[in-house]
Amino acid sequence: MDSKYQSYVDLIKSKLSPYRFNHSVEVAKSAVYLAEKYGGDSEKMYVAGLLHDVLKESDREETFFFFNKYDTELTKLERVTPKLWHAIAGADFIKNELGIDDEDIISAVRYHTTGRADMSLSEKILFIADFISADRDYNGADEMRERAEKSLECAMDMGLSFTISDLVENGKPVHPDTIDAYNDIKLQE
Ligand code: DGI
Ligand code: FE
Ligand code: FE
């Protein structure tokens, strides 16, 4: 798969620090692993993993250049939360600048940070791959990996709970899509 997507590897190498380049490659590997385990499309998940953080290190100017170019409207919460920009602009970027037309890949990138209501298999796989990639060493990373072996929902539950608790503890706003994803999991249990 590597040679077929070498141009994406080269692109993220040029746009990201060595640390985040490595993270992206590891997320791609974890996304392929989860796709194989849970019946997703490995090739699509490899591409989504490679590209999910393509604009993570872009500055405000570059990010808003794409928002303006593609008439992407942000809510007030999104405007004041820079951490959310790379997922929204990243989806715009891979669709319009790279010509990726696969909605599964685009929406997986778009919602990889917040999640959302009624997440697709691809969206869940990328969301979790981002938490369990080999480069992750936060407290609880191994528990996340164990949960990802049990079920996607079991891992989503921990990931979303972890994110929401952290945001609340630090007095940050929680995106409604994050709450929707969390409530979906809780109502399924
Ligand atoms: O890009 P990565 O670092 O690999 O991971 P990510 O895209 O999941 O970004 C994680 C960051 O995004 C983390 O600092 C928390 C923040 N975040 C995730 N969901 C929300 C959020 N921030 C706010 N304010 N609201 C959210 O719902
Ligand atoms: Fe990200
Ligand atoms: Fe990431």
Side-chain angles (χ1 to χ4, degrees), residues 39-86:
D41 185 317
S42 308
E43 195 163 339
K44 287 186 192 185
M45 290 299 92
Y46 178 73
V47 172
L50 278 183
L51 295 173
H52 80 287
D53 278 340
V54 64
L55 296 188
K56 178 85 180 183
E57 293 175 355
S58 299
D59 58 16
R60 187 190 179 95
E61 195 187 343
E62 185 184 1
T63 308
F64 276 76
F65 170 80
F66 291 120
F67 287 146
N68 289 329
K69 185 169 176 187
Y70 300 114
D71 290 324
T72 301
E73 297 196 2
L74 302 186
T75 64
K76 182 174 182 196
L77 188 155
E78 289 162 352
R79 272 199 304 279
V80 301
T81 312
K83 287 203 164 145
L84 302 179
W85 297 347
H86 74 289

Side-chain angles (χ1 to χ4, degrees), residues 118-119 124 153-154 181-189:
D118 296 319
M119 287 173 80
K124 289 178 184 171
E153 287 65 34
C154 183
Y182 173 81
N183 285 340
D184 265 5
I185 295 292
K186 289 295 155 190
L187 295 171
Q188 278 163 26
E189 275 170 5

Side-chain angles (χ1 to χ4, degrees), residues 13 85 98 102 110 158:
K13 198 177 260 176
W85 297 347
L98 304 184
D102 188 289
R110 170 68 182 78
M158 182 173 167

Side-chain angles (χ1 to χ4, degrees), residues 20 23 27 52-53 86 112 130 136:
R20 191 147 299 272
H23 164 71
V27 171
H52 80 287
D53 278 340
H86 74 289
H112 85 266
D130 202 10
R136 295 292 201 198

